[in-house]
Amino acid sequence: MSKEFAIGEIVRVVALPPYLKTSDPMPMLRPPDIIQIGEEGIVMDRRPGGYWSIRFTRGTFLIDSQYIDAVSSLNEPPSASHLEPTTMSQIDTTQSDEDGST
């Protein structure tokens, strides 16, 4: 059973396939050393047969799901609960008084 990924999800290469197939309308075979194990790419499209169109820095290739894994959520930015609390000095104090003076 093939793995499922969301479009736009970041994935990491866990093993190199014997060759790479470009994701062009007329695909071409390329040597596997264009990408490296551990390189990350973005899922662009789902293709039949368990293949995914993945955009890397050196091109977009069709890769079988057995060669890629989703990047863990540890690389996501921290949620708002982890941000520093706002201090009174950071609050905009340029609002005018209710009596109309500035």
Side-chain angles (χ1 to χ4, degrees):
M1 185 170 155
S2 66
K3 302 172 195 169
E4 292 296 320
F5 304 102
I7 304 301
E9 185 174 2
I10 297 175
V11 293
R12 180 177 294 132
V13 177
V14 294
L16 289 178
Y19 59 86
L20 291 173
K21 185 184 279 190
T22 63
S23 185
D24 300 324
M26 177 76 74
M28 297 180 68
L29 297 180
R30 297 288 183 213
D33 62 353
I34 293 175
I35 60 173
Q36 305 297 322
I37 293 178
E39 188 169 345
E40 295 179 356
I42 299 172
V43 176
M44 303 304 292
D45 191 13
R46 169 99 164 103
R47 301 289 172 97
Y51 286 92
W52 296 89
S53 178
I54 311 292
R55 185 177 66 202
F56 296 99
T57 56
R58 296 190 65 191
T60 304
F61 303 100
L62 298 176
I63 299 183
D64 192 312
S65 59
Q66 70 182 358
Y67 299 109
I68 54 176
D69 269 335
V71 174
S72 67
S73 61
L74 296 176
N75 292 338
E76 293 179 6
S79 65
S81 64
H82 293 101
L83 299 176
E84 293 180 21
T86 305
T87 62
M88 290 302 290
S89 63
Q90 294 172 328
I91 297 175
D92 185 16
T93 58
T94 60
Q95 297 175 354
S96 63
D97 296 332
E98 288 183 13
D99 63 357
S101 64
T102 54

Coordinates of all heavy atoms in Angstrom, one line a residue:
M1 N 0.8 -1.2 0.0 CA 0.0 0.0 0.0 C 0.9 1.2 0.0 O 1.8 1.3 0.8 CB -0.9 0.0 1.3 CG -1.9 1.1 1.3 SD -3.0 0.8 2.6 CE -3.6 2.4 3.0
S2 N 0.6 2.2 -0.9 CA 1.4 3.4 -1.0 C 1.0 4.4 0.1 O -0.1 4.4 0.6 CB 1.3 4.0 -2.4 OG -0.1 4.5 -2.5
K3 N 2.0 5.3 0.4 CA 1.8 6.3 1.4 C 1.0 7.4 0.8 O 1.0 7.6 -0.4 CB 3.1 6.9 1.9 CG 4.0 5.8 2.5 CD 5.4 6.4 2.8 CE 6.4 5.3 3.0 NZ 7.7 5.9 3.0
E4 N 0.3 8.2 1.6 CA -0.5 9.3 1.1 C 0.1 10.6 1.7 O 0.5 10.7 2.8 CB -2.0 9.2 1.6 CG -2.7 8.1 0.9 CD -2.9 8.2 -0.6 OE1 -3.1 9.4 -1.0 OE2 -2.7 7.2 -1.3
F5 N 0.2 11.6 0.8 CA 0.7 12.9 1.2 C -0.3 14.0 0.7 O -1.0 13.8 -0.3 CB 2.0 13.2 0.5 CG 3.1 12.1 0.8 CD1 3.4 11.1 -0.1 CD2 3.7 12.1 2.0 CE1 4.3 10.2 0.2 CE2 4.7 11.1 2.3 CZ 5.0 10.2 1.4
A6 N -0.3 15.1 1.3 CA -1.1 16.2 0.9 C -0.4 17.1 -0.1 O 0.9 17.2 0.0 CB -1.5 17.1 2.1
I7 N -1.1 17.7 -1.0 CA -0.4 18.6 -2.0 C 0.1 19.8 -1.2 O -0.5 20.3 -0.3 CB -1.5 19.1 -3.0 CG1 -2.1 17.9 -3.7 CG2 -0.8 20.1 -4.0 CD1 -1.2 17.0 -4.5
G8 N 1.4 20.1 -1.4 CA 2.0 21.2 -0.7 C 2.8 20.7 0.5 O 3.5 21.5 1.1
E9 N 2.7 19.5 0.9 CA 3.4 18.9 2.0 C 4.9 18.8 1.7 O 5.2 18.5 0.6 CB 2.8 17.5 2.4 CG 3.3 16.9 3.6 CD 2.6 15.6 4.0 OE1 1.7 15.2 3.3 OE2 3.0 15.1 5.0
I10 N 5.7 19.0 2.7 CA 7.1 18.8 2.5 C 7.5 17.3 2.8 O 7.1 16.8 3.9 CB 7.9 19.8 3.5 CG1 7.6 21.2 3.1 CG2 9.4 19.5 3.3 CD1 8.2 22.2 4.0
V11 N 8.2 16.8 1.9 CA 8.7 15.4 2.1 C 10.2 15.3 2.0 O 10.9 16.2 1.5 CB 8.0 14.5 1.0 CG1 6.5 14.4 1.2 CG2 8.4 14.9 -0.4
R12 N 10.7 14.2 2.5 CA 12.2 14.0 2.5 C 12.5 12.7 1.8 O 11.8 11.7 2.0 CB 12.7 13.9 4.0 CG 14.2 13.7 4.1 CD 14.6 13.7 5.6 NE 14.4 15.0 6.1 CZ 13.8 15.3 7.3 NH1 13.4 14.3 8.0 NH2 13.7 16.5 7.7
V13 N 13.6 12.7 1.0 CA 14.0 11.5 0.3 C 14.7 10.5 1.4 O 15.6 10.9 2.1 CB 15.0 11.8 -0.8 CG1 15.6 10.6 -1.4 CG2 14.4 12.7 -1.8
V14 N 14.2 9.3 1.5 CA 14.8 8.3 2.4 C 15.6 7.3 1.7 O 16.4 6.6 2.4 CB 13.7 7.7 3.3 CG1 13.0 8.7 4.2 CG2 12.6 6.9 2.4
A15 N 15.4 7.1 0.4 CA 16.2 6.2 -0.4 C 16.2 6.7 -1.8 O 15.3 7.3 -2.2 CB 15.7 4.8 -0.3
L16 N 17.3 6.4 -2.5 CA 17.4 6.9 -3.9 C 16.8 5.8 -4.9 O 17.2 4.6 -4.7 CB 18.8 7.2 -4.3 CG 19.4 8.4 -3.7 CD1 20.9 8.6 -4.2 CD2 18.6 9.7 -4.1
P17 N 16.0 6.2 -5.8 CA 15.5 5.2 -6.8 C 16.6 4.9 -7.8 O 17.6 5.6 -7.8 CB 14.3 6.0 -7.5 CG 14.6 7.4 -7.2 CD 15.4 7.5 -6.0
P18 N 16.4 3.9 -8.6 CA 17.5 3.5 -9.6 C 17.7 4.6 -10.6 O 18.7 4.7 -11.2 CB 17.0 2.2 -10.2 CG 15.6 2.0 -9.7 CD 15.4 2.9 -8.6
Y19 N 16.6 5.4 -10.9 CA 16.7 6.5 -11.8 C 15.6 7.5 -11.4 O 14.7 7.2 -10.7 CB 16.5 6.1 -13.3 CG 15.2 5.4 -13.5 CD1 14.1 6.1 -13.8 CD2 15.1 4.0 -13.4 CE1 12.9 5.4 -14.0 CE2 13.9 3.3 -13.6 CZ 12.8 4.1 -13.9 OH 11.6 3.4 -14.0
L20 N 15.7 8.7 -11.9 CA 14.6 9.7 -11.7 C 13.9 10.0 -13.0 O 14.6 10.0 -14.1 CB 15.2 11.0 -11.2 CG 15.8 11.0 -9.8 CD1 16.5 12.3 -9.5 CD2 14.7 10.8 -8.8
K21 N 12.6 10.2 -13.0 CA 11.9 10.6 -14.2 C 11.4 12.0 -14.0 O 10.8 12.3 -12.9 CB 10.7 9.6 -14.3 CG 9.9 9.9 -15.6 CD 8.6 9.0 -15.7 CE 9.0 7.6 -16.1 NZ 7.8 6.8 -16.4
T22 N 11.6 12.9 -14.9 CA 11.2 14.3 -14.8 C 9.7 14.3 -14.9 O 9.0 13.4 -15.4 CB 11.8 15.1 -15.9 OG1 11.3 14.7 -17.2 CG2 13.3 15.2 -15.9
S23 N 9.1 15.4 -14.3 CA 7.7 15.5 -14.3 C 7.2 16.4 -15.4 O 6.1 17.0 -15.4 CB 7.3 16.2 -12.9 OG 5.9 16.2 -12.8
D24 N 7.9 16.4 -16.5 CA 7.5 17.2 -17.7 C 6.4 16.5 -18.5 O 6.2 15.3 -18.3 CB 8.8 17.3 -18.6 CG 9.9 18.1 -17.9 OD1 9.6 19.0 -17.1 OD2 11.1 17.7 -18.2
P25 N 5.8 17.2 -19.4 CA 4.8 16.5 -20.3 C 5.4 15.4 -21.1 O 4.7 14.4 -21.3 CB 4.3 17.6 -21.2 CG 4.5 18.9 -20.4 CD 5.8 18.6 -19.6
M26 N 6.7 15.5 -21.4 CA 7.4 14.4 -22.1 C 8.5 14.0 -21.1 O 9.6 14.6 -21.2 CB 8.0 14.9 -23.4 CG 8.8 13.9 -24.1 SD 7.9 12.6 -24.9 CE 7.3 13.4 -26.3
P27 N 8.3 13.1 -20.2 CA 9.2 12.8 -19.1 C 10.5 12.2 -19.7 O 10.5 11.6 -20.7 CB 8.5 11.7 -18.3 CG 7.1 11.9 -18.6 CD 7.0 12.4 -20.0
M28 N 11.6 12.5 -19.0 CA 12.9 12.0 -19.4 C 13.6 11.4 -18.2 O 13.3 11.8 -17.0 CB 13.8 13.2 -19.9 CG 13.3 13.8 -21.1 SD 14.4 15.2 -21.7 CE 15.8 14.3 -22.2
L29 N 14.4 10.3 -18.4 CA 15.0 9.7 -17.3 C 16.3 10.4 -17.0 O 17.1 10.8 -17.9 CB 15.3 8.2 -17.7 CG 14.1 7.3 -17.9 CD1 14.6 5.9 -18.3 CD2 13.2 7.3 -16.7
R30 N 16.6 10.5 -15.7 CA 17.8 11.2 -15.2 C 18.5 10.3 -14.2 O 17.9 9.5 -13.5 CB 17.5 12.5 -14.6 CG 16.8 13.5 -15.5 CD 17.9 14.1 -16.4 NE 17.3 15.1 -17.3 CZ 17.7 15.3 -18.5 NH1 18.7 14.5 -19.0 NH2 17.2 16.2 -19.3
P31 N 19.8 10.5 -14.0 CA 20.5 9.7 -13.0 C 20.0 10.1 -11.6 O 19.6 11.2 -11.4 CB 22.0 10.0 -13.2 CG 22.0 11.4 -13.9 CD 20.7 11.4 -14.7
P32 N 20.1 9.1 -10.6 CA 19.5 9.4 -9.3 C 20.4 10.4 -8.5 O 19.9 10.9 -7.5 CB 19.5 8.0 -8.6 CG 20.5 7.3 -9.3 CD 20.5 7.8 -10.8
D33 N 21.6 10.7 -8.9 CA 22.5 11.5 -8.1 C 22.2 13.0 -8.2 O 22.8 13.9 -7.7 CB 24.0 11.3 -8.4 CG 24.3 11.6 -9.8 OD1 23.4 11.9 -10.6 OD2 25.5 11.5 -10.1
I34 N 21.1 13.4 -8.9 CA 20.6 14.8 -9.0 C 20.1 15.2 -7.6 O 20.2 16.3 -7.2 CB 19.5 14.9 -10.1 CG1 20.2 14.7 -11.4 CG2 18.9 16.3 -10.0 CD1 19.2 14.7 -12.6
I35 N 19.5 14.3 -6.9 CA 19.0 14.5 -5.5 C 19.8 13.7 -4.6 O 20.5 12.7 -4.9 CB 17.5 14.3 -5.4 CG1 17.2 12.8 -5.7 CG2 16.7 15.3 -6.2 CD1 15.7 12.5 -5.4
Q36 N 19.8 14.0 -3.3 CA 20.5 13.3 -2.3 C 19.6 12.8 -1.2 O 18.5 13.3 -1.0 CB 21.5 14.3 -1.5 CG 22.5 15.0 -2.5 CD 23.4 14.1 -3.2 OE1 23.9 13.1 -2.6 NE2 23.7 14.4 -4.4
I37 N 20.0 11.7 -0.5 CA 19.2 11.2 0.6 C 19.1 12.3 1.6 O 20.1 12.9 2.0 CB 19.8 9.9 1.1 CG1 19.7 8.8 0.1 CG2 19.1 9.5 2.4 CD1 20.3 7.5 0.5
G38 N 17.9 12.5 2.1 CA 17.7 13.6 3.1 C 17.2 14.9 2.5 O 16.8 15.8 3.3
E39 N 17.3 15.0 1.2 CA 16.9 16.3 0.6 C 15.4 16.4 0.7 O 14.6 15.4 0.6 CB 17.3 16.3 -0.9 CG 17.1 17.6 -1.6 CD 17.7 17.7 -2.9 OE1 18.6 16.9 -3.3 OE2 17.3 18.6 -3.7
E40 N 14.9 17.6 0.9 CA 13.5 17.9 1.1 C 12.9 18.5 -0.2 O 13.6 19.3 -0.9 CB 13.2 18.7 2.3 CG 13.6 18.1 3.6 CD 13.4 18.9 4.8 OE1 13.0 20.1 4.6 OE2 13.6 18.4 5.9
G41 N 11.6 18.2 -0.5 CA 10.9 18.8 -1.6 C 9.5 19.0 -1.2 O 9.0 18.5 -0.2
I42 N 8.7 19.6 -2.2 CA 7.3 19.9 -2.0 C 6.5 19.0 -2.9 O 6.8 19.0 -4.1 CB 7.1 21.4 -2.2 CG1 7.9 22.2 -1.3 CG2 5.6 21.7 -2.1 CD1 7.8 23.7 -1.6
V43 N 5.4 18.4 -2.4 CA 4.5 17.6 -3.2 C 3.7 18.5 -4.0 O 3.0 19.4 -3.6 CB 3.6 16.8 -2.3 CG1 2.6 16.0 -3.1 CG2 4.4 15.8 -1.4
M44 N 3.8 18.3 -5.4 CA 3.1 19.2 -6.3 C 1.8 18.5 -6.8 O 0.9 19.2 -7.1 CB 4.0 19.5 -7.5 CG 5.3 20.2 -7.1 SD 5.1 21.7 -6.2 CE 4.4 22.7 -7.4
D45 N 1.9 17.2 -7.0 CA 0.8 16.5 -7.7 C 0.8 15.0 -7.3 O 1.9 14.5 -7.0 CB 0.9 16.7 -9.2 CG -0.3 16.3 -10.0 OD1 -1.4 16.0 -9.4 OD2 -0.2 16.2 -11.2
R46 N -0.3 14.3 -7.5 CA -0.4 12.9 -7.3 C -0.5 12.3 -8.7 O -1.3 12.8 -9.5 CB -1.7 12.5 -6.5 CG -2.0 11.1 -6.5 CD -1.5 10.5 -5.2 NE -2.1 9.2 -4.9 CZ -1.5 8.0 -5.1 NH1 -0.3 8.0 -5.6 NH2 -2.1 6.9 -4.8
R47 N 0.2 11.2 -8.9 CA 0.2 10.6 -10.3 C -0.2 9.1 -10.1 O 0.0 8.5 -9.0 CB 1.5 10.6 -10.9 CG 2.1 12.0 -11.2 CD 1.2 12.7 -12.3 NE 1.6 14.1 -12.4 CZ 2.5 14.6 -13.3 NH1 3.0 13.8 -14.1 NH2 2.7 15.9 -13.3
P48 N -0.8 8.5 -11.1 CA -1.2 7.1 -11.0 C 0.0 6.2 -10.6 O 1.2 6.5 -11.0 CB -1.7 6.7 -12.4 CG -2.1 8.0 -13.0 CD -1.1 9.0 -12.4
G49 N -0.3 5.0 -10.0 CA 0.7 4.0 -9.7 C 1.6 4.3 -8.5 O 2.7 3.8 -8.3
G50 N 1.1 5.2 -7.6 CA 1.9 5.5 -6.4 C 3.0 6.5 -6.6 O 3.8 6.6 -5.7
Y51 N 3.0 7.2 -7.7 CA 4.0 8.2 -7.9 C 3.5 9.6 -7.5 O 2.3 9.9 -7.6 CB 4.4 8.3 -9.4 CG 5.2 7.1 -9.9 CD1 4.6 5.9 -10.4 CD2 6.6 7.1 -9.8 CE1 5.4 4.9 -10.7 CE2 7.4 6.0 -10.1 CZ 6.7 4.9 -10.6 OH 7.5 3.8 -11.0
W52 N 4.5 10.4 -7.1 CA 4.2 11.8 -6.7 C 5.1 12.7 -7.4 O 6.3 12.4 -7.6 CB 4.4 11.9 -5.2 CG 3.5 11.1 -4.3 CD1 3.7 9.8 -4.0 CD2 2.2 11.5 -3.9 NE1 2.6 9.4 -3.2 CE2 1.7 10.4 -3.2 CE3 1.5 12.6 -3.9 CZ2 0.4 10.4 -2.6 CZ3 0.3 12.7 -3.3 CH2 -0.3 11.6 -2.7
S53 N 4.6 13.8 -7.8 CA 5.4 14.9 -8.5 C 6.0 15.7 -7.3 O 5.2 16.4 -6.6 CB 4.6 15.7 -9.4 OG 5.3 16.7 -10.0
I54 N 7.3 15.7 -7.2 CA 8.0 16.4 -6.1 C 8.9 17.4 -6.6 O 9.7 17.1 -7.5 CB 8.8 15.4 -5.2 CG1 8.0 14.2 -4.8 CG2 9.4 16.1 -4.0 CD1 6.8 14.5 -3.9
R55 N 8.8 18.7 -6.2 CA 9.7 19.8 -6.6 C 10.9 19.9 -5.7 O 10.7 20.1 -4.5 CB 8.9 21.1 -6.7 CG 9.8 22.2 -7.3 CD 9.1 23.5 -7.4 NE 8.8 24.0 -6.1 CZ 7.8 24.8 -5.8 NH1 7.0 25.3 -6.8 NH2 7.6 25.2 -4.6
F56 N 12.0 19.7 -6.2 CA 13.3 19.9 -5.5 C 14.0 21.1 -6.0 O 13.5 21.7 -7.0 CB 14.2 18.6 -5.6 CG 13.6 17.4 -5.0 CD1 13.0 16.5 -5.8 CD2 13.7 17.1 -3.7 CE1 12.4 15.3 -5.3 CE2 13.2 16.0 -3.1 CZ 12.6 15.1 -3.9
T57 N 15.1 21.5 -5.4 CA 15.9 22.6 -5.9 C 16.4 22.4 -7.3 O 16.5 23.4 -8.1 CB 17.0 23.0 -5.0 OG1 17.9 21.8 -4.9 CG2 16.5 23.4 -3.6
R58 N 16.7 21.2 -7.7 CA 17.2 21.0 -9.0 C 16.2 20.4 -10.1 O 16.6 20.0 -11.1 CB 18.4 20.0 -8.9 CG 19.5 20.6 -8.1 CD 20.8 19.8 -8.1 NE 21.3 19.8 -9.4 CZ 22.3 19.0 -9.8 NH1 22.9 18.2 -8.9 NH2 22.8 19.0 -11.0
G59 N 14.9 20.5 -9.7 CA 13.9 20.1 -10.7 C 12.7 19.4 -10.0 O 12.7 19.2 -8.8
T60 N 11.7 19.1 -10.8 CA 10.5 18.4 -10.4 C 10.6 17.0 -11.0 O 10.7 16.8 -12.2 CB 9.3 19.1 -10.8 OG1 9.3 20.5 -10.3 CG2 8.0 18.5 -10.2
F61 N 10.4 16.0 -10.1 CA 10.6 14.6 -10.5 C 9.4 13.8 -10.0 O 8.8 14.1 -9.0 CB 11.9 14.0 -10.0 CG 13.1 14.8 -10.4 CD1 13.7 15.7 -9.6 CD2 13.6 14.6 -11.7 CE1 14.8 16.4 -9.9 CE2 14.7 15.4 -12.1 CZ 15.3 16.3 -11.2
L62 N 9.1 12.7 -10.7 CA 8.1 11.7 -10.3 C 8.9 10.7 -9.5 O 9.8 10.0 -9.9 CB 7.5 11.0 -11.5 CG 6.8 12.0 -12.5 CD1 6.2 11.2 -13.7 CD2 5.6 12.6 -11.8
I63 N 8.4 10.5 -8.2 CA 9.1 9.6 -7.3 C 8.0 8.7 -6.7 O 7.0 9.1 -6.2 CB 9.8 10.4 -6.2 CG1 10.9 11.2 -6.8 CG2 10.4 9.4 -5.2 CD1 11.8 12.0 -5.9
D64 N 8.3 7.4 -6.6 CA 7.5 6.4 -6.0 C 7.4 6.7 -4.5 O 8.4 7.1 -3.9 CB 8.0 5.0 -6.3 CG 7.1 3.9 -5.9 OD1 6.5 4.0 -4.8 OD2 6.9 3.0 -6.7
S65 N 6.3 6.5 -3.9 CA 6.1 6.8 -2.5 C 7.0 6.0 -1.6 O 7.2 6.4 -0.4 CB 4.6 6.6 -2.1 OG 4.2 5.2 -2.3
Q66 N 7.5 4.9 -2.0 CA 8.5 4.1 -1.1 C 9.8 4.8 -0.9 O 10.5 4.5 0.0 CB 8.7 2.7 -1.7 CG 9.6 2.7 -3.0 CD 9.7 1.4 -3.5 OE1 9.3 0.4 -3.0 NE2 10.4 1.3 -4.7
Y67 N 10.1 5.8 -1.7 CA 11.4 6.5 -1.6 C 11.3 7.8 -0.8 O 12.3 8.5 -0.6 CB 12.0 6.8 -3.0 CG 12.2 5.6 -3.8 CD1 11.5 5.3 -4.9 CD2 13.3 4.7 -3.4 CE1 11.7 4.1 -5.6 CE2 13.5 3.6 -4.2 CZ 12.7 3.3 -5.2 OH 13.0 2.1 -6.0
I68 N 10.1 8.2 -0.3 CA 9.9 9.5 0.4 C 9.1 9.3 1.6 O 8.3 8.3 1.7 CB 9.2 10.5 -0.5 CG1 7.9 10.0 -1.1 CG2 10.2 11.0 -1.6 CD1 7.1 11.0 -1.9
D69 N 9.3 10.2 2.6 CA 8.5 10.2 3.8 C 8.2 11.7 4.1 O 8.9 12.6 3.8 CB 9.3 9.7 5.0 CG 9.2 8.2 5.2 OD1 8.1 7.6 4.8 OD2 10.1 7.6 5.8
A70 N 7.1 11.8 4.8 CA 6.7 13.2 5.3 C 7.7 13.7 6.3 O 8.2 13.0 7.1 CB 5.3 13.2 5.8
V71 N 8.0 15.0 6.2 CA 8.8 15.7 7.2 C 8.0 15.8 8.5 O 6.8 16.1 8.5 CB 9.3 17.0 6.7 CG1 10.1 17.8 7.8 CG2 10.1 16.9 5.4
S72 N 8.6 15.5 9.6 CA 7.9 15.5 10.9 C 7.5 17.0 11.2 O 8.0 17.9 10.7 CB 8.8 15.0 12.0 OG 9.9 15.9 12.2
S73 N 6.5 17.1 12.1 CA 5.9 18.4 12.4 C 6.9 19.2 13.4 O 6.6 20.3 13.8 CB 4.6 18.2 13.1 OG 4.8 17.4 14.3
L74 N 8.0 18.6 13.7 CA 9.0 19.3 14.5 C 9.6 20.6 13.8 O 10.0 21.5 14.5 CB 10.2 18.4 14.9 CG 9.8 17.2 15.8 CD1 11.0 16.3 16.0 CD2 9.2 17.6 17.1
N75 N 9.5 20.6 12.5 CA 10.1 21.7 11.7 C 9.1 22.8 11.6 O 9.4 23.8 11.0 CB 10.5 21.2 10.4 CG 11.8 20.3 10.5 OD1 12.5 20.4 11.5 ND2 12.0 19.5 9.5
E76 N 7.8 22.6 12.1 CA 6.8 23.7 11.9 C 7.1 24.8 12.9 O 7.7 24.6 13.9 CB 5.4 23.1 12.2 CG 5.0 22.1 11.2 CD 3.6 21.5 11.5 OE1 3.0 22.0 12.4 OE2 3.2 20.6 10.8
P77 N 6.7 26.0 12.5 CA 6.9 27.1 13.5 C 6.1 26.9 14.8 O 5.1 26.3 14.7 CB 6.4 28.4 12.7 CG 5.5 27.8 11.6 CD 6.0 26.4 11.3
P78 N 6.6 27.5 15.9 CA 5.8 27.3 17.1 C 4.5 28.0 17.1 O 4.3 28.9 16.4 CB 6.7 28.0 18.2 CG 7.6 28.9 17.4 CD 7.7 28.3 16.0
S79 N 3.6 27.4 17.9 CA 2.2 28.0 17.9 C 2.3 29.3 18.7 O 3.3 29.6 19.3 CB 1.3 27.0 18.6 OG 1.6 26.8 19.9
A80 N 1.2 30.0 18.7 CA 1.1 31.3 19.3 C 1.4 31.2 20.8 O 1.8 32.2 21.5 CB -0.2 32.0 19.1
S81 N 1.1 30.1 21.4 CA 1.2 29.9 22.9 C 2.7 29.9 23.3 O 3.0 30.1 24.4 CB 0.6 28.6 23.3 OG 1.3 27.5 22.7
H82 N 3.6 29.7 22.3 CA 5.1 29.7 22.6 C 5.7 31.1 22.4 O 6.9 31.2 22.6 CB 5.8 28.7 21.8 CG 5.4 27.3 22.1 ND1 4.5 26.6 21.4 CD2 5.7 26.5 23.2 CE1 4.3 25.4 21.9 NE2 5.0 25.3 23.0
L83 N 4.9 32.0 21.9 CA 5.5 33.3 21.6 C 5.6 34.2 22.9 O 4.9 33.9 23.9 CB 4.7 34.1 20.6 CG 4.5 33.4 19.2 CD1 3.6 34.2 18.3 CD2 5.9 33.2 18.6
E84 N 6.5 35.2 22.9 CA 6.7 36.0 24.0 C 5.4 36.8 24.3 O 4.8 37.3 23.3 CB 7.8 37.0 23.8 CG 9.2 36.3 23.8 CD 10.3 37.4 23.6 OE1 10.0 38.6 23.8 OE2 11.3 37.0 23.1
P85 N 5.0 37.1 25.5 CA 3.8 37.9 25.8 C 4.1 39.3 25.4 O 5.3 39.8 25.5 CB 3.6 37.7 27.3 CG 4.9 37.3 27.8 CD 5.6 36.5 26.7
T86 N 3.1 40.0 25.0 CA 3.3 41.4 24.6 C 3.4 42.3 25.9 O 2.6 42.1 26.8 CB 2.0 41.9 23.8 OG1 1.9 41.0 22.7 CG2 2.2 43.3 23.3
T87 N 4.3 43.2 25.9 CA 4.5 44.1 27.0 C 3.8 45.4 26.7 O 3.5 45.7 25.6 CB 6.0 44.3 27.3 OG1 6.6 44.9 26.2 CG2 6.7 43.0 27.6
M88 N 3.6 46.2 27.7 CA 3.0 47.5 27.5 C 3.8 48.4 26.6 O 3.3 49.2 25.9 CB 2.7 48.2 28.9 CG 1.6 47.5 29.7 SD 0.1 47.4 28.8 CE -0.5 49.1 28.8
S89 N 5.1 48.3 26.6 CA 6.0 49.2 25.8 C 5.8 48.8 24.3 O 6.2 49.6 23.5 CB 7.4 49.1 26.2 OG 7.9 47.8 26.0
Q90 N 5.3 47.6 24.0 CA 5.2 47.2 22.6 C 3.8 47.6 22.1 O 3.6 47.5 20.9 CB 5.4 45.7 22.5 CG 6.8 45.2 22.8 CD 6.9 43.7 22.8 OE1 5.9 43.0 23.2 NE2 8.0 43.2 22.5
I91 N 2.9 48.0 22.9 CA 1.6 48.4 22.5 C 1.6 49.8 21.9 O 2.2 50.7 22.4 CB 0.6 48.3 23.6 CG1 0.5 46.8 24.1 CG2 -0.8 48.8 23.2 CD1 -0.4 46.6 25.3
D92 N 0.9 50.0 20.8 CA 0.9 51.3 20.1 C 0.1 52.3 21.0 O -1.0 52.1 21.3 CB 0.2 51.2 18.7 CG 0.3 52.5 18.0 OD1 1.0 53.3 18.3 OD2 -0.5 52.6 17.0
T93 N 0.8 53.3 21.4 CA 0.2 54.3 22.3 C -0.1 55.6 21.6 O -0.2 56.7 22.2 CB 1.1 54.6 23.5 OG1 2.4 55.0 23.0 CG2 1.3 53.4 24.4
T94 N -0.2 55.6 20.3 CA -0.4 56.8 19.5 C -1.9 57.2 19.4 O -2.2 58.1 18.6 CB 0.2 56.7 18.1 OG1 -0.4 55.6 17.4 CG2 1.7 56.5 18.2
Q95 N -2.8 56.5 20.0 CA -4.2 56.8 19.9 C -4.5 58.1 20.7 O -3.9 58.4 21.7 CB -5.0 55.7 20.6 CG -4.9 54.3 19.8 CD -5.6 53.2 20.6 OE1 -6.1 53.4 21.7 NE2 -5.6 52.1 20.0
S96 N -5.4 58.9 20.1 CA -5.7 60.1 20.7 C -6.6 59.9 21.9 O -7.3 58.9 22.0 CB -6.4 61.1 19.7 OG -7.6 60.5 19.3
D97 N -6.6 60.9 22.9 CA -7.5 60.9 24.0 C -8.9 61.1 23.6 O -9.2 61.5 22.5 CB -7.1 61.9 25.0 CG -5.7 61.8 25.6 OD1 -5.2 60.6 25.6 OD2 -5.1 62.8 25.9
E98 N -9.8 60.7 24.5 CA -11.2 60.9 24.1 C -11.7 62.3 24.0 O -12.6 62.6 23.3 CB -12.1 60.2 25.2 CG -12.0 58.7 25.1 CD -12.9 58.0 26.1 OE1 -13.8 58.7 26.7 OE2 -12.7 56.8 26.3
D99 N -10.9 63.2 24.6 CA -11.3 64.6 24.5 C -10.8 65.3 23.2 O -11.1 66.5 23.0 CB -10.7 65.4 25.7 CG -9.2 65.4 25.8 OD1 -8.6 64.8 24.9 OD2 -8.7 66.1 26.6
G100 N -10.2 64.5 22.3 CA -9.8 65.1 21.0 C -8.4 65.5 20.9 O -7.9 65.9 19.8
S101 N -7.6 65.7 22.0 CA -6.2 66.1 21.9 C -5.4 65.0 21.5 O -5.7 63.8 21.8 CB -5.8 66.7 23.3 OG -5.8 65.7 24.2
T102 N -4.3 65.3 20.9 CA -3.3 64.2 20.4 C -2.1 64.2 21.2 O -1.6 65.2 21.7 CB -3.0 64.3 18.9 OG1 -2.5 65.6 18.7 CG2 -4.2 64.0 18.1

